């Protein structure tokens, strides 16, 4: 009995020692020499990150697709023992993560981290985004965990890629195409983000943080200005503009904030309120702001209003480059070329380089009885 007990204790000690050895494995190269890699890119405000392993062709050219990577789903005989797609890489699960909601090939996909799989076909591949991103490879793939499947066409390429890689291509401010490239084949899929939606969501979050504490009118103005420029979420943008103008945040003596409020009111069709907001803005304008505002009115064929603004700016900042050329532009728009010429000539001594050449051209046009280009 004592011998049996002693043998059991020795066996248990050996098992524990072995378990300790297994847990204490040293760091080695990835199995099969497959390189681990990751690639990440921002689309709008959305970060897209892919983690994967890179198998090599290793002299198997023309024997990868349809052979090493079988067509469709394959019974692996291990793990979940269900027909499984390719793991879209090697070794561990390939994963793809989105920090916001996106569209993949036009289909909605919520923010999150997904296991990424490909059911290869020579004419059509099925891309699978699985809610299970932690299992090893594709051995435990379960179709019940699919979040999204999309179909794409593989593209044959003229040049062989030795080590599998993912790249971002065809970037726009709101989209990019991810390309899985290996051997002589590319599997592309397009990702789109709603830039306006994600930007507004980011503003809402950050305006509740220490980025928007009392006294910091800039944060509220920045959000309101985005709404004004993009003509989106106008009612919310108006609330943000009012917050910037409030005594709490202190932007009520800033021309740009008042102008932003006026632009939002104008987009909402509240013209009288917009005009009142611009009246409040005028005392706080500098000569550049005033010139730019007046110039835009002239471009919009609001000649009388543009002249009044240029006149007001000139009274506040007399005899400078911008105020003189502003008055010249206004008189030229009204057809009074003689007065316009007077102010253009007064502007010339302040001009340098390209500005000087432009004003000299304006002077020649006015002398010839032509409207100056402003």
């Amino acid at each position: 009995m004592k011998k049996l007990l002693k043998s059991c204790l020795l066996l248990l000690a050996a098992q524990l020692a072995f378990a300790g050895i297994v847990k204490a494995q040293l760091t080695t190269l990835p199995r099969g020499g497959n390189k681990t890699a990751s690639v990440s890119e921002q689309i709008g405000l959305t970060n897209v990150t892919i983690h994967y392993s890179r198998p090599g062709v290793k002299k198997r050219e023309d024997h990868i697709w349809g052979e090493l990577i079988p067509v469709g789903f394959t019974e692996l005989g291990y793990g979940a023992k269900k027909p499984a797609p390719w793991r879209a890489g090697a070794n561990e699960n390939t994963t793809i993560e989105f920090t916001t909601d996106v569209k993949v090939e036009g289909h909605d996909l919520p923010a999150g981290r997904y296991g990424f799989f490909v059911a290869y076909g020579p004419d059509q591949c099925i891309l699978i985004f699985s809610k299970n991103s932690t299992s090893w490879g594709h051995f435990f793939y379960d179709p019940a965990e699919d979040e999204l499947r999309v179909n794409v066409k593989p593209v044959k390429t003229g040049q062989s890629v030795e080590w599998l890689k993912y790249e971002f291509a065809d970037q726009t401010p709101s989209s990019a195409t991810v390309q899985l490239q290996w051997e002589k084949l590319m599997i592309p899929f397009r990702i789109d983000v709603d830039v306006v939606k994600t930007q507004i969501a980011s503003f809402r979050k950050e305006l509740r943080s220490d980025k928007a504490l009392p006294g910091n009118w800039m944060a509220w103005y920045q959000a309101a200005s985005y709404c004004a420029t993009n003509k989106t979420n106008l009612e919310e943008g108006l609330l943000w503009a009012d917050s910037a103008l409030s005594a709490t945040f202190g932007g009520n003596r800033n021309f740009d904030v008042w102008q932003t409020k006026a632009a939002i009111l104008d987009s909402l069709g509240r013209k009288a309120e917009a005009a009142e907001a611009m009246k409040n803005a005028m005392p706080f304008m500098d000569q550049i702001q005033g010139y730019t505002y007046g110039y835009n009115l002239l471009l919009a064929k609001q000649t009388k209003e543009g002249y009044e603004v240029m006149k007001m700016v000139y009274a506040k900042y007399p005899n400078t480059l911008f105020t003189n050329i502003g008055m010249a532009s206004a008189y030229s728009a009204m057809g009074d070329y003689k007065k316009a010429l007077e102010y253009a000539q007064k502007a010339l001594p302040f001009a340098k380089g390209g500005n000087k050449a432009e004003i000299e051209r304006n002077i020649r046009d006015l002398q010839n009885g032509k409207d100056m280009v402003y």
Side-chain angles (χ1 to χ4, degrees):
M1 185 67 181
K2 288 183 180 180
K3 288 183 179 180
L4 178 61
L5 180 59
K6 185 176 180 181
S7 298
C8 290
L9 290 173
L10 289 172
L11 179 60
L12 178 60
Q15 289 176 333
L16 290 173
F18 178 75
I21 291 172
V22 169
K23 289 180 180 179
Q25 291 184 76
L26 299 178
T27 302
T28 60
L29 292 172
R31 190 178 65 178
N34 301 316
K35 304 170 184 290
T36 59
S38 65
V39 61
S40 181
E41 186 152 321
Q42 190 176 59
I43 307 172
L45 293 180
T46 304
N47 292 318
V48 181
T49 304
I50 304 171
H51 290 280
Y52 63 106
S53 291
R54 305 180 63 189
V57 175
K58 300 177 182 177
K59 299 180 180 180
R60 296 174 292 186
E61 199 165 282
D62 299 323
H63 296 283
I64 299 293
W65 303 103
E67 296 183 36
L68 180 67
I69 307 302
V71 173
F73 295 76
T74 306
E75 173 63 64
L76 302 174
Y78 174 73
K81 295 185 179 180
K82 295 180 180 180
W86 175 47
R87 71 189 92 181
N91 297 350
E92 299 179 25
N93 210 357
T94 296
T95 65
I96 184 167
E97 185 171 5
F98 309 95
T99 55
T100 73
D101 297 348
V102 300
K103 286 183 181 290
V104 177
E105 291 293 315
H107 299 274
D108 291 328
L109 184 63
R113 187 169 184 257
Y114 297 94
F116 181 59
F117 302 93
V118 175
Y120 165 73
D123 300 313
Q124 178 175 275
C125 296
I126 303 172
L127 310 186
I128 301 169
F129 299 83
S130 172
K131 288 174 280 191
N132 182 350
S133 64
T134 59
S135 294
W136 178 267
H138 49 177
F139 297 104
F140 298 93
Y141 169 76
D142 186 343
E145 296 173 323
D146 290 355
E147 178 67 36
L148 177 67
R149 289 189 179 194
V150 297
N151 298 327
V152 299
K153 291 186 177 296
V155 179
K156 293 182 180 179
T157 59
Q159 187 173 0
S160 184
V161 175
E162 174 65 25
W163 297 97
L164 181 148
K165 64 180 179 178
Y166 287 85
E167 288 188 353
F168 289 85
D170 303 326
Q171 293 93 336
T172 75
S174 61
S175 68
T177 298
V178 176
Q179 299 175 340
L180 187 167
Q181 302 176 25
W182 193 28
E183 202 239 11
K184 297 177 183 177
L185 197 74
M186 176 178 69
I187 302 174
F189 58 97
R190 179 184 169 104
I191 299 170
D192 288 272
V193 301
D194 187 332
V195 174
V196 171
K197 180 181 176 181
T198 55
Q199 181 64 83
I200 294 297
S202 177
F203 285 150
R204 289 171 182 157
K205 181 179 179 180
E206 292 186 326
L207 289 174
R208 299 176 65 184
S209 72
D210 59 0
K211 294 184 178 181
L213 294 175
N216 182 13
W217 58 266
M218 273 295 298
W220 300 90
Y221 159 68
Q222 185 181 2
S225 180
Y226 182 88
C227 294
T229 301
N230 293 278
K231 298 186 186 302
T232 186
N233 295 71
L234 294 174
E235 293 289 354
E236 191 168 20
L238 183 59
L239 290 175
W240 290 338
D242 283 335
S243 294
L245 290 166
S246 69
T248 300
F249 295 102
N252 60 321
R253 297 182 63 81
N254 184 277
F255 175 86
D256 289 330
V257 183
W258 282 109
Q259 187 180 37
T260 294
K261 178 175 180 176
I264 293 173
L265 288 167
D266 186 72
S267 295
L268 288 168
R270 294 157 65 174
K271 306 296 183 182
E273 293 175 79
E276 187 63 29
M278 281 311 304
K279 285 183 182 178
N280 291 332
M282 300 310 288
F284 308 114
M285 66 182 173
D286 61 29
Q287 60 173 312
I288 304 298
Q289 292 167 330
Y291 168 78
T292 303
Y293 177 51
Y295 178 86
N296 287 331
L297 289 172
L298 295 175
L299 286 178
K301 305 302 180 184
Q302 294 178 276
T303 306
K304 181 180 177 181
E305 293 84 352
Y307 167 73
E308 291 298 332
V309 170
M310 294 300 192
K311 184 179 176 182
M312 187 182 301
V313 179
Y314 189 86
K316 190 173 182 181
Y317 303 98
N319 208 29
T320 70
L321 171 62
F322 284 101
T323 56
N324 276 310
I325 202 64
M327 290 297 289
S329 299
Y331 277 114
S332 180
M334 292 189 294
D336 190 341
Y337 299 147
K338 184 178 179 180
K339 269 287 190 182
L341 178 59
E342 176 186 330
Y343 282 101
Q345 289 172 331
K346 290 172 68 175
L348 187 58
F350 299 99
K352 296 179 181 179
N355 284 336
K356 184 175 182 179
E358 181 71 15
I359 293 173
E360 287 174 339
R361 184 181 63 79
N362 290 332
I363 289 173
R364 289 194 298 270
D365 287 341
L366 292 168
Q367 287 173 334
N368 292 321
K370 296 180 181 179
D371 189 11
M372 65 179 279
V373 179
Y374 49 87

